[in-house]
Amino acid sequence: MSSVDIEAIKNQLGLEINAVNSSQGLEELRIKYLGRKGLISQLTGMIPGLPQEERAAFGQKANALKNKTLSLIEEKQRSLGQVSAVEEFSGLDIGLPAIVQDLGRLHPLTQIIDEICAVFVRLGFSVVEGPEIETEYNNFTGLNIPLEHPSRDAFDTFYLKPSNNTNDQRPTTSDRLLLRSHTSPVQIRAMKSQKPPLAVVVPGRVYRPDAVDASHSFMFHQIEGFMVDKGIRFSDLKGVLEAFAKAVFGEDIKMRFRPHFFPFTEPSAEVDISCIICKGKGCSVCGRKGWLEVLGAGMIHPNVFKHVGYNAREYTGFAFGMGVERIAMLKYGINDIRLFFENDLRFLRQF
Ligand code: DAH
């Protein structure tokens, strides 16, 4: 055998390795070339019989062929391995577009609560939350709501059954627990735990035993706000609420304050914005009035300050409360409050 034969073996190897299409075929090929009695061992076995001057060159060529064979087999092994991984998932079409994972989103009420609170945070308010289970004291008495007030009636407030819990630390058994009917009790909590100056907004769930219809729900959301300091005036309330209305409903919105009564504010007002549908001309949404009621407000009643231990001669303050669902319904033209709570993705995906 000569160098020419080595070239021939190399060519043959190239052809055969190209034709291999299974691991088993590749293994047979490996044995044929690199096995103990394979073609390459036969070549090296011939070296001692060659003339002295040819041995070195022949040996080098045989060795080069051996290395070439090893690397070709390795390469083939890799490409066969990839194909078999794909074959394992039979029916897998790696050319298909990937399944797009639907991203979640915030509930429209959460979005509007965040938006409204952000407006007040920019004005220097801090955001505080309170518990949904409240005492009768915080929900009514502390807010100057008299015992005979209709909102205290069991038809208007969800009372909890008295507990048999002997760890109950509340001062009197007459201070029943209830599901808060508004966010105003957080005024009492915040003012009792902090000294003025105070500027706070309180978003949260409230509960009332109302029959559910297009505009009522037994659970809904409010945002309460209040500010207490020396020299706070009604004009401060007007300025703050105007900034809120413009930020949420647009720069050319108008506001008006109508005298009203709330036990916890004096004077009190109901606040309207110009109708965002008809711009004040009168339409079915505003009942031809041109105005939409959006919140209640007023100057904090001295009796409330007395309950929390503030000196009403030293401090004044304003408070306001709004229904979040109502604001969202007006802003987005939603005509049924139940849509917020039914978890219908066709509705929720629009926000
Ligand atoms: N708590 C009142 C309600 O639920 C709303 C309200 C009115 C809150 C006037 C206030 C306020 O803080 O000053 O109807």
Side-chain angles (χ1 to χ4, degrees):
M1 214 186 260
S2 68
S3 307
V4 180
D5 299 310
I6 293 182
E7 270 318 299
I9 292 174
K10 201 166 154 186
N11 290 338
Q12 187 191 341
L13 168 70
L15 292 173
E16 285 185 42
I17 207 150
N18 266 342
V20 163
N21 58 10
S22 69
S23 309
Q24 202 193 333
L26 188 64
E27 178 59 10
E28 282 163 11
L29 200 74
R30 190 190 66 80
I31 293 166
K32 175 172 175 186
Y33 284 87
L34 298 169
R36 223 159 22 92
K37 293 178 187 146
L39 289 172
I40 291 169
S41 309
Q42 288 177 34
L43 285 179
T44 45
M46 285 158 59
I47 294 174
L50 289 175
Q52 181 70 31
E53 65 279 10
E54 281 176 29
R55 283 184 199 164
F58 189 88
Q60 267 169 19
K61 282 197 172 135
N63 211 33
L65 177 62
K66 183 176 173 185
N67 290 335
K68 176 87 187 160
T69 312
L70 276 169
S71 75
L72 282 176
I73 287 179
E74 223 170 80
E75 197 179 300
K76 189 77 187 183
Q77 234 158 15
R78 246 179 281 131
S79 70
L80 283 175
Q82 278 166 10
V83 171
S84 70
V86 173
E87 279 167 353
E88 245 174 67
F89 297 92
S90 56
L92 175 76
D93 181 352
I94 58 170
L96 278 177
I99 297 164
V100 178
Q101 195 64 44
D102 206 3
L103 278 182
R105 68 194 70 209
L106 294 175
H107 190 279
L109 289 176
T110 309
Q111 290 186 36
I112 197 115
I113 286 170
D114 288 352
E115 181 185 337
I116 294 170
C117 286
V119 173
F120 288 106
V121 166
R122 283 200 292 278
L123 294 171
F125 286 70
S126 45
V127 181
V128 166
E129 288 182 313
E132 291 167 32
I133 294 177
E134 256 301 1
T135 60
E136 193 172 3
Y137 179 86
N138 287 341
N139 199 79
F140 294 122
T141 315
L143 289 163
N144 197 38
I145 300 175
L147 277 175
E148 66 280 6
H149 196 275
S151 65
R152 286 193 175 225
D153 196 285
F155 289 108
D156 286 303
T157 298
F158 286 112
Y159 286 92
L160 273 69
K161 283 211 187 90
S163 79
N164 302 318
N165 187 347
T166 46
N167 294 326
D168 199 333
Q169 295 289 309
R170 280 169 299 135
T172 59
T173 47
S174 65
D175 194 14
R176 292 179 286 175
L177 289 178
L178 46 77
L179 295 182
R180 67 179 179 192
S181 58
H182 51 176
T183 42
S184 304
V186 187
Q187 287 189 34
I188 306 299
R189 290 178 173 270
M191 289 195 257
K192 272 192 168 166
S193 65
Q194 293 172 66
K195 293 271 157 275
L198 215 68
V200 172
V201 277
V202 185
R205 273 189 281 270
V206 301
Y207 301 83
R208 291 180 195 176
D210 286 328
V212 175
D213 63 24
S215 53
H216 293 88
S217 167
F218 55 85
M219 184 280 297
F220 57 100
H221 298 73
Q222 287 187 334
I223 294 179
E224 188 83 10
F226 48 96
M227 183 183 277
V228 184
D229 200 355
K230 288 175 183 160
I232 298 288
R233 299 175 299 184
F234 202 94
S235 54
D236 297 311
L237 169 65
K238 288 183 91 170
V240 164
L241 289 182
E242 199 169 308
F244 149 75
K246 287 188 169 166
V248 174
F249 292 106
E251 273 302 311
D252 36 56
I253 209 82
K254 289 187 189 58
M255 276 192 121
R256 73 173 184 187
F257 287 68
R258 279 181 291 105
H260 197 73
F261 174 79
F262 296 107
F264 32 90
T265 44
E266 182 58 36
S268 305
E270 272 188 338
V271 180
D272 299 339
I273 56 167
S274 50
C275 179
I276 51 179
I277 308 294
C278 65
K279 307 265 180 281
K281 286 198 270 303
C283 66
S284 61
V285 172
C286 59
R288 325 255 159 246
K289 291 196 284 275
W291 295 96
L292 299 162
E293 186 209 318
V294 285
L295 54 88
M299 299 304 288
I300 297 173
H301 198 289
N303 287 350
V304 175
F305 283 151
K306 213 179 284 171
H307 278 292
V308 299
Y310 284 6
N311 182 351
R313 288 181 202 288
E314 200 181 350
Y315 294 108
T316 51
F318 64 72
F320 59 85
M322 66 182 93
V324 176
E325 283 79 358
R326 177 158 172 83
I327 304 276
M329 287 168 80
L330 291 173
K331 184 168 166 135
Y332 298 117
I334 298 162
N335 57 15
D336 195 322
I337 196 171
R338 290 170 288 199
L339 286 165
F340 290 118
F341 308 120
E342 285 169 344
N343 222 13
D344 185 337
L345 290 180
R346 292 170 302 176
F347 171 73
L348 297 174
R349 282 205 175 108
Q350 295 177 61
F351 299 93

